[in-house]
Every structure is written in structure tokens, then in C-alpha cells.
Amino acid sequence: MAASMSNVAGKSLLKMFHVIIILSTWFMPSLTAKLNAPKVLLPYYSSFIANFTLRVEFAPEETSVANCYRWRSTRPEVAQVSLINSTDGECAAIARVSAISKTPHQMTTAIVAENKVTKEALRCNVIVGEIVRLEIETTTRLLYLEDSPEELIVRGFDGEGNIFSSLEGLPFEWSLVSDNDIGGNVDAHNILRIKRFSESHYTTPSHIVPLEEQGLQGDTILVEGIRTGSARCSARLKDVAYKGVTPSEVRIVVVANLMLSPPDAYVLKHAHVKYTVELLRHNSLREISMPSPQYYLEVKDRSICSLDAEKSVATALEMGSTEIVSQR
């Protein structure tokens, strides 16, 4: 009798063990591969084809296993897909999506990447539409003379204000325009210079390489200051289909690369600080005799400290902090 009860108890524990294992497996989160973009917006094809690169981002447990992803477009007449770095012409973890729809009306397709072994399908919706507005994106609009160049990137927008995922492959015409808003008569080409990536010390974006090899400019350029002043940089699409799109302009100001010494000062009330001004030119520092007809010092908050401009001496007046800047 005791043995029978023991067998029953053992079977119950075994069933419970199976239930626990099943539940644990059921609620275990699934780590699967993903695409780097769920949706992509590309401009339609008139004279030049725009591209976007899709990548399969593998889950940790998949990185050590051989994977084969086959790609297809549900509507090849809207956008086509081609393999990148494929070893067999059938499988690849990276693919290039090319918008080939020739109508400005919005069209949609889906790019599907299917795992040949597991049959798992990854999907990205691709929307092809018309660019109606351009906007230049900057990190800063203030450049220092003889400093590192600024990278300018132009973005495209559709009629609903959505940003195009990529303008890769589209040629642009970048130009410099004199800044007449401030009454200056200096030629913009004497203030700014547009540099090719291939002529700089910076890595050329992969999609810019073929354009520069053809003597063209893409959606990304480098601009450097060669003289103090301000000028405008303009970008427009070269494709005749977009001749009605207004070029985008951005105002860039170039200032002398002045340095104050000391750069920081912590002083007691009524204490004095003597400043010197140095100009960085041709990778060397030259002290500027102050006061100068070209440069001057300015204190941001005169309630915190006063400034004797003739002697370049600041005097602390109250507790707090402020900035002293050198300007031209």
C-alpha cells in the first residue's frame, strides 16, 4: 500500500515537473533576429535611383550559427532589393533597397527577409514618394578660422513633413552665396570653402565615394572657414524632376580662433584677474596686444564682475559666476 502511494506521489511530482518545464518554456522570451529599420521612406526614381541599406541584426544565440536570409520585394515595380556581400548569390545578411517607382504619387511595397532554415520572415515596409522640401542639418553654424571643417547634411521631406530615410545616390549642387543680409560685400568664396571628402582627413561616407569619383556632390559635404565673416551655403537637387523644390540655405559665421588665458578663474570677492588674448593661426599661438582695434573683451554679467578693457583686468564684485569672452 505504501509502495503504491509512493508511486502515485512520484507520478504526481513528475507531472508537476513537466508542467513547470512547459510553463517555463512557454513564458521564456524569444530572442530573434531583427531588421535595422521597420519602415523606410525613399524618393521616387526620375533620373537617379535612391538607395537604403537593410541589415539583419542577429540575436546573441544566432551569431555563432550559420544563417541564410533570402530577400524579396512584394512589389518589384516599386522597389527592388539586391544582396550585399553574398557568397552564394542566394543568401545575405545585408541588402540594398532601390526605389524604382517612376511616379511622384506615393507607392508602397514590403521587403521580406526569410531565414532559409527556420522560415522566420522579417519585414520592412518601403514607401516611395516625392520630395517637396529640403533642409540642411548642421552640428554648428559657427566655425573657427583654420579649425576642423563642418559636415553639412541635407534632409528631404515629403508633403506631410515626413523625413526621407535616405537620399543616398541622389546628386546635389552645393554653392556658396554672399550674405547680403548684414550688408557685407565680401565674396562668399573668400569666407568659406567646400571640400571634397577625398581631399580631407576624414572618412568618406560609402555612398559619397561613387559620386565624388564622377565629380558630383551628394547629400553630405564638408565646409571650412578661410576668412572671418559670414556667408550662406545652399543645396539643391540636380534631378530635373525636382527643379521646383526650393534650395535650402544655411548661414555660416566664421570667427577668429581666439583663446583667453586663464581659461577659468576662481577668485575671492574684490580680487583681480589679468587676461591675455592669443590668436591661433597656422597651428601656432600669437599673443594679441590689448586693447586692439580688431578684438575686444566683454563680460556677460556686469553685476558679478567688472572689466577694465584698457588693462584687460577683471574684478570680482559679487558671489556667482559669469563669462568673459573675446570677440572681433
Side-chain angles (χ1 to χ4, degrees), residues 53-74:
T53 302
L54 278 177
R55 294 179 175 84
V56 177
E57 297 177 346
F58 295 106
E61 66 271 18
E62 289 185 308
T63 56
S64 58
V65 180
N67 289 280
C68 173
Y69 280 88
R70 295 182 292 192
W71 300 76
R72 64 184 175 88
S73 172
T74 58

Side-chain angles (χ1 to χ4, degrees), residues 229-249:
S230 66
R232 295 182 180 273
C233 192
S234 172
R236 73 174 184 88
L237 283 157
K238 288 182 68 71
D239 195 326
V240 293
Y242 290 110
K243 63 181 180 181
V245 179
T246 304
S248 177
E249 283 190 359

Side-chain angles (χ1 to χ4, degrees), residues 153-183:
I153 302 174
V154 64
R155 303 293 188 192
F157 296 80
D158 68 5
E160 298 178 355
N162 301 308
I163 303 176
F164 281 84
S165 305
S166 171
L167 300 180
E168 177 183 323
L170 301 186
F172 284 80
E173 182 179 329
W174 293 82
S175 57
L176 300 177
V177 184
S178 297
D179 191 5
N180 297 321
D181 291 351
I182 59 172

Side-chain angles (χ1 to χ4, degrees), residues 102-113:
K102 286 184 169 291
T103 173
H105 303 295
Q106 191 175 97
M107 305 289 283
T108 304
T109 183
I111 302 299
V112 180

